[in-house]
Amino acid sequence: MDSSVWDKALKILQYDPNIDLVTYESILSKMTVAHCDDVQLVLEARDEYSLSIVKNQKLSKTVENAIKTVTDGKSCVVNFILKGDSNALNSTVIAAKKADTEARSKVTTSTGLNGEYTFANFVVGDCNRFAHASAVSVATKPGQKQRNPFFLWGNSGLGKTHLMKAIGNAIIEQHPEKKVIYTTCEAFTNAFIATINTNKYTDFRNKYRTVDVLLIDDIQFLIGKEGVQTEFFNTFESLIEAGKQIVITCDKAPSNLTSLDNRLTSRFQDGIMFDVQPPDFETRKAIFLSKLENENFTLSDEIIDYVCENVTTNIRQLNGAFNTISSYVSLANGELTLEDVQKIIIPIVNPNKKKFLTPEMVINSVSHYYDLTPDKLTSKLRSADISRARNVAMFICRDYLELKYEKIGQIFGGRKHTTVMHGCENVDEDKELKKVAEEIMKNIT
């Protein structure tokens, strides 16, 4: 927040029917900004009389509301001091920062969140653009029926938890009156087991069924736990009926949670679902550059491109590569060559041989493996053997060539995004088919 917010707020106060013209012109318009940060705004009054007037509870509240309006609802403490009173300024700034620290500590304890994960530090790319946009929408207007529940799924380390926690932090900032809880499914399960042992069901249900927003991570952990599934289903139903927001992450799409209670999987599909894909090269590079900027050191374009081309699995792996390199940068006084980096991150990456592959090479290799002609994989034929081979080829294009579902659909005869996604999911769920895909890739490379 910058000092211009006061100028913007004055334009609102000028036309506020609760403020007379004399008060505005002789007091409010004469006030200046003494201090401004993300926590508070300190305004200076030119004399004792003006200070006593503006500190009136009703007028000070009106000023706070005007500032809240120009900052899009962001919570901000407004304090008033006498112009030139440096002692009052210092004590006010220190007290506000202390209060903010204590408040954040309480929020972290009660919600399970901290301020580390926000929309501001989430790097948006083609792999997560729509998921991010919908997450922002959920945070702005939590509880809307068409986005409830909000279900994010995909492999580990792709940013699902970051988006979930960003939703929670944004809601706390924009809607401080709402009660938000973040928990993992494992923690929810352990808490329920403890409840069974202590027989304190009322306390447990009061905690999870009286919230405005429930964020629950790794819902697949419910598989095989029938009693916990029933309790979560009842919690889910209670919150949805009350118009409360639920956000869920999982490593699979709801339709693939075949071992979970059908009542739950059908409810999960009643809101909005997003598949968070592995980051493409551009997104990986944007993340890496952001980290370099935050740590305030530089690397050559050659090194950056090498890392981002070869560390492809997930964002956690990219973070690991960055942390490893940054440690060596401090030891080497910033003088790292590409050869140094290649040696340093050998345990993290494999050389990106797949970047030289083409979809045609994949189709030819899969066709050869299944003793089919390549044209059958891109045809409209749907026999079991052709569909199986086609699914394997599409899976390789997705996981090894990092192509988007739409692009894969174009390659394989103009198939729809959902058709390609379903075909890849079939391979994901079949260990034998995944082994075939790995064997074919070994043969290619």
Side-chain angles (χ1 to χ4, degrees):
M1 183 173 65
D2 59 60
S3 57
S4 67
V5 298
W6 178 234
D7 294 328
K8 296 174 184 176
L10 279 173
K11 292 178 182 178
I12 295 174
L13 294 169
Q14 184 177 6
Y15 300 103
D16 192 310
N18 297 314
I19 298 176
D20 60 77
L21 184 61
V22 174
T23 300
Y24 175 80
E25 290 187 345
S26 63
I27 297 177
L28 293 177
S29 66
K30 305 297 183 183
M31 298 188 75
T32 56
V33 177
H35 177 82
C36 182
D37 58 30
D38 290 338
V39 175
Q40 67 172 324
L41 177 69
V42 182
L43 298 172
E44 289 181 322
R46 59 178 179 167
D47 53 46
E48 292 281 4
Y49 174 75
S50 299
L51 183 62
S52 64
I53 294 296
V54 82
K55 279 190 171 183
N56 173 276
Q57 185 174 5
K58 185 177 180 180
L59 182 55
S60 63
K61 188 65 177 177
T62 303
V63 171
E64 286 182 2
N65 289 338
I67 291 170
K68 191 172 183 179
T69 299
V70 300
T71 56
D72 296 324
K74 185 175 181 179
S75 181
C76 174
V77 176
V78 182
N79 288 309
F80 307 95
I81 63 169
L82 186 64
K83 188 167 184 153
D85 191 343
S86 57
N87 290 333
L89 176 60
N90 291 335
S91 60
T92 299
V93 171
I94 292 171
K97 288 185 176 180
K98 182 179 179 182
D100 180 66
T101 301
E102 292 175 351
R104 288 178 183 273
S105 177
K106 289 179 181 178
V107 167
T108 299
T109 302
S110 61
T111 66
L113 293 167
N114 57 45
E116 181 181 355
Y117 297 100
T118 65
F119 290 127
N121 59 25
F122 183 86
V123 177
V124 180
D126 289 340
C127 56
N128 55 36
R129 191 176 306 281
F130 293 113
H132 172 268
S134 291
V136 171
S137 178
V138 167
T140 304
K141 294 183 178 179
Q144 284 191 322
K145 186 176 180 180
Q146 63 269 32
R147 291 185 176 87
N148 204 12
F150 184 61
F151 193 101
L152 293 166
W153 63 278
N155 291 332
S156 177
L158 300 181
K160 304 186 300 296
T161 298
H162 188 142
L163 270 181
M164 167 182 274
K165 290 184 175 181
I167 290 172
N169 284 321
I171 290 174
I172 290 170
E173 182 175 342
Q174 298 172 29
H175 308 278
E177 76 284 358
K178 292 190 180 295
K179 184 180 178 182
V180 179
I181 284 185
Y182 164 82
T183 185
T184 63
C185 189
E186 182 177 8
F188 181 90
T189 299
N190 292 338
F192 182 65
I193 292 171
T195 296
I196 295 174
N197 294 333
T198 59
N199 205 30
K200 293 183 178 180
Y201 292 95
T202 302
D203 292 346
F204 178 85
R205 287 164 184 165
N206 282 341
K207 177 178 179 180
Y208 291 105
R209 298 188 191 183
T210 60
V211 298
D212 296 295
V213 182
L214 176 62
L215 313 168
I216 187 156
D217 219 349
D218 293 327
I219 201 67
Q220 71 274 4
F221 195 82
L222 283 180
I223 292 174
K225 303 173 180 66
E226 286 76 11
V228 187
Q229 288 184 39
T230 300
E231 181 63 29
F232 181 76
F233 174 80
N234 292 330
T235 299
F236 184 98
E237 291 288 280
S238 175
L239 292 174
I240 292 293
E241 288 177 9
K244 308 303 183 182
Q245 181 68 52
I246 299 175
V247 182
I248 298 169
T249 69
C250 187
D251 63 353
K252 297 181 180 67
S255 59
N256 288 332
L257 295 171
T258 54
S259 301
L260 204 60
D261 190 324
N262 288 334
R263 296 181 302 171
L264 282 173
T265 54
S266 65
R267 297 299 194 282
F268 295 163
Q269 296 175 77
D270 196 36
I272 185 168
M273 300 173 289
F274 279 101
D275 172 16
V276 182
Q277 289 287 308
D280 53 24
F281 172 77
E282 289 76 14
T283 306
R284 294 196 299 271
K285 188 169 182 178
I287 293 171
F288 199 83
L289 290 173
S290 174
K291 289 183 171 295
L292 285 173
E293 184 179 353
N294 290 338
E295 294 295 327
N296 196 28
F297 73 89
T298 59
L299 293 171
S300 69
D301 290 340
E302 186 181 36
I303 290 176
I304 294 170
D305 286 346
Y306 173 81
V307 173
C308 296
E309 282 176 353
N310 289 279
V311 183
T312 60
T313 305
N314 57 50
I315 298 168
R316 288 198 188 109
Q317 191 184 48
L318 187 64
N319 287 339
F322 177 84
N323 293 335
T324 302
I325 293 170
S326 64
S327 297
Y328 276 88
V329 166
S330 61
L331 295 173
N333 295 320
E335 297 178 2
L336 279 182
T337 65
L338 176 60
E339 290 71 24
D340 293 330
V341 171
Q342 289 172 333
K343 294 175 183 177
I344 290 167
I345 62 174
I346 279 177
I348 303 174
V349 303
N350 290 314
N352 192 9
K353 293 179 182 178
K354 66 191 175 197
K355 69 179 178 180
F356 300 109
L357 301 181
T358 65
E360 290 73 20
M361 292 171 65
V362 173
I363 291 172
N364 289 335
S365 296
V366 173
S367 300
H368 178 74
Y369 183 91
Y370 282 100
D371 196 21
L372 298 168
T373 56
D375 61 294
K376 289 184 178 178
L377 269 65
T378 58
S379 71
K380 300 297 182 183
L381 297 174
R382 297 182 179 179
S383 61
D385 58 336
I386 294 175
S387 294
R388 187 182 304 111
R390 183 184 296 126
N391 288 345
V392 169
M394 292 191 299
F395 173 84
I396 292 174
C397 286
R398 185 195 75 176
D399 277 30
Y400 291 89
L401 272 62
E402 300 181 18
L403 298 181
K404 297 289 185 293
Y405 286 133
E406 292 83 357
K407 180 65 176 177
I408 298 172
Q410 294 171 9
I411 294 167
F412 286 85
R415 284 176 162 76
K416 294 181 180 178
H417 166 278
T418 51
T419 302
V420 177
M421 183 169 22
H422 183 66
C424 292
E425 287 171 2
N426 285 340
V427 180
D428 271 322
E429 295 297 313
D430 191 317
K431 293 181 180 179
E432 292 302 317
L433 287 182
K434 287 191 80 170
K435 286 182 179 178
V436 168
E438 291 170 1
E439 184 178 343
I440 291 172
M441 274 305 301
K442 287 179 181 177
N443 291 338
I444 295 175
T445 56

